[in-house]
Amino acid sequence: MPQWKELLIEVEKIESKYDSSLRNPVSNSEIIKMKQTIQKKLGNIIIPESYIDFLKNVNGIDFNGLVIYGVDEMLLDNEADEEVQGFIETNELWYEKDWQKKYMFFGDSDTAWFCYDLNERVYVEIDKPSGTLIQSFYSFDSMLSDALKASLL
């Protein structure tokens, strides 16, 4: 089991203390709609299976300054209980600056973006707003686990 799944359990415990909970997982049909919309709006981007696995556990997260993007609200079969920062709309927003188009953005915090560098083919944490590399990761799972660990400190 990826470490981030264990960390999500910790996040859920903290959320429950404040009478809150994690978002619902997304359905297969919502994933299909997301993939089709990504191809139309963002081009030939392949979403990693590990990110899909994350979405099948929870539709994004907004916890202690960390936001991991979920399936955009317009693609959900049912209305979300809380606002979801969608993967597609957020990437479109970040793509307004040319230098950012080399990244696929999966999330952000107060100080960093969590991305996939399309040119270097590596997952990265980069500084907001300079784009300076903070660290690299060998997989989406390791990047997500590191981001969740930092949000739990």
Side-chain angles (χ1 to χ4, degrees):
M1 172 166 69
Q3 184 182 20
W4 61 259
K5 288 187 179 184
E6 295 168 21
L7 295 166
L8 266 186
I9 293 167
E10 294 304 311
V11 169
E12 191 164 32
K13 286 178 187 171
I14 293 167
E15 290 279 358
S16 69
K17 288 180 188 173
Y18 298 98
D19 222 13
S20 188
S21 63
L22 294 177
R23 295 183 186 132
N24 291 328
V26 298
S27 67
N28 286 332
S29 69
E30 291 166 334
I31 296 284
I32 291 166
K33 286 190 277 187
M34 179 185 184
K35 286 180 176 180
Q36 290 169 340
T37 306
I38 286 170
Q39 296 304 309
K40 283 185 215 153
K41 292 188 169 205
L42 301 177
N44 195 24
I45 292 176
I46 305 297
I47 300 298
E49 281 305 312
S50 47
Y51 177 59
I52 304 265
D53 186 31
F54 168 75
L55 294 173
K56 288 182 176 180
N57 281 270
V58 59
N59 186 23
I61 193 167
D62 187 343
F63 175 77
N64 202 21
L66 173 67
V67 176
I68 303 296
Y69 312 136
V71 173
D72 297 70
E73 290 183 33
M74 65 185 177
L75 301 174
L76 297 177
D77 296 333
N78 301 305
E79 196 172 315
D81 293 342
E82 63 179 281
E83 182 185 351
V84 174
Q85 287 192 305
F87 177 88
I88 297 166
E89 64 192 20
T90 308
N91 271 276
E92 286 178 323
L93 176 73
W94 298 138
Y95 285 0
E96 289 178 359
K97 293 187 178 149
D98 277 343
W99 71 268
Q100 292 171 310
K101 291 180 181 173
K102 74 176 206 164
Y103 298 109
M104 184 182 346
F105 293 86
F106 288 100
D108 63 84
S109 69
D110 297 335
T111 59
W113 283 299
F114 300 94
C115 315
Y116 180 72
D117 185 321
L118 297 163
N119 297 338
E120 302 297 324
R121 297 179 179 220
V122 65
Y123 292 89
V124 293
E125 178 182 356
I126 56 175
D127 177 65
K128 269 181 167 176
S130 72
T132 305
L133 178 68
I134 296 172
Q135 62 181 324
S136 300
F137 303 92
Y138 63 90
S139 69
F140 174 81
D141 287 342
S142 61
M143 179 177 71
L144 178 59
S145 295
D146 191 77
L148 284 169
K149 272 188 235 168
S151 75
L152 284 162
L153 292 177

